[in-house]
Amino acid sequence: MRQRVARTGVVVSTIAMVIIGYWAVNIRNVAAEGAKTPPAVVFKDLPSLTGETWFNVSVPLTWKILRDRFVVVEFWATWCAPCMANVDSLRALQKQFEPSGLVVIGATHESADKVEAYVKRRKMDYAICAGQPRDCNASVTSIPYAVLVAPGGRILWQGHPRSLESEIAKAVGSSRQLSPS
């Protein structure tokens, strides 16, 4: 009887592992297919920058202040693993292109209390807009999500930030002159 129970346990465990493996492969395939899908146009107008608290800047940024700059706005959250993975890329973009005039902004609905420790721990040295009202930028339904804005306020590109660097390079050309002439 014990052998029968032991065999049954082994069979059930094996079936469970097969089901979990099948599920994991399908999730990975769906994610890969989603990555190939062109992003939907979320913004027709400039995204809102109306957060309660700003980090790493001396004054809250507005589109009027940013009118002569290329700007990247990335929507993120502290609980978002893909957002966490993208922090180093955004830091590198900021470091690479800031001398030429690029401004990188991370925007989140989360409160300043929740964001402050995360910003310090992750060494996020670009502008952070925290505590945005829930109705602001409500069209962003998936994060991370980035928007590249040209001087003058025209949206050049929007989508998942994995191709952001190549989009910036296309926008500014090989000279990398981001600041206005």
Side-chain angles (χ1 to χ4, degrees):
M1 181 73 161
R2 282 188 173 169
Q3 286 181 331
R4 188 179 207 174
V5 170
R7 274 189 258 152
T8 302
V10 169
V11 169
V12 168
S13 296
T14 303
I15 291 171
M17 287 190 314
V18 168
I19 290 171
I20 290 169
Y22 176 77
W23 175 78
V25 168
N26 279 337
I27 291 294
R28 200 173 314 128
N29 289 342
V30 167
E33 288 171 16
K36 295 174 190 170
T37 305
V41 174
V42 170
F43 290 103
K44 292 184 176 143
D45 297 316
L46 293 173
S48 174
L49 299 176
T50 56
E52 296 172 359
T53 306
W54 286 81
F55 296 94
N56 304 324
V57 292
S58 57
V59 297
L61 299 179
T62 64
W63 289 111
K64 184 176 180 181
I65 292 171
L66 299 167
R67 72 180 170 268
D68 295 330
R69 311 282 290 270
F70 276 87
V71 179
V72 170
V73 180
E74 190 209 34
F75 298 92
W76 65 284
T78 58
W79 52 261
C80 170
C83 300
M84 187 183 308
N86 199 46
V87 168
D88 290 338
S89 296
L90 290 171
R91 289 178 63 223
L93 283 173
Q94 176 78 5
K95 185 176 181 181
Q96 179 180 0
F97 292 110
E98 183 179 36
S100 301
L102 177 72
V103 176
V104 176
I105 301 171
T108 182
H109 292 296
E110 293 179 293
S111 70
D113 293 339
K114 190 168 201 168
V115 169
E116 185 173 19
Y118 184 86
V119 167
K120 287 178 183 174
R121 185 174 62 250
R122 297 290 300 165
K123 297 180 177 132
M124 298 168 80
D125 54 358
Y126 48 90
I128 302 294
C129 178
Q132 287 201 311
R134 287 276 173 203
D135 59 342
C136 287
N137 305 312
S139 56
V140 176
T141 58
S142 177
I143 56 175
Y145 190 85
V147 180
L148 175 60
V149 179
R154 187 169 58 93
I155 295 174
L156 297 177
W157 175 89
Q158 53 188 315
H160 191 282
R162 80 178 133 268
S163 58
L164 189 54
E165 185 173 3
S166 65
E167 295 299 327
I168 292 171
K170 277 192 251 177
V172 302
S174 60
S175 68
R176 294 190 178 176
Q177 291 297 319
L178 293 180
S179 55
S181 302

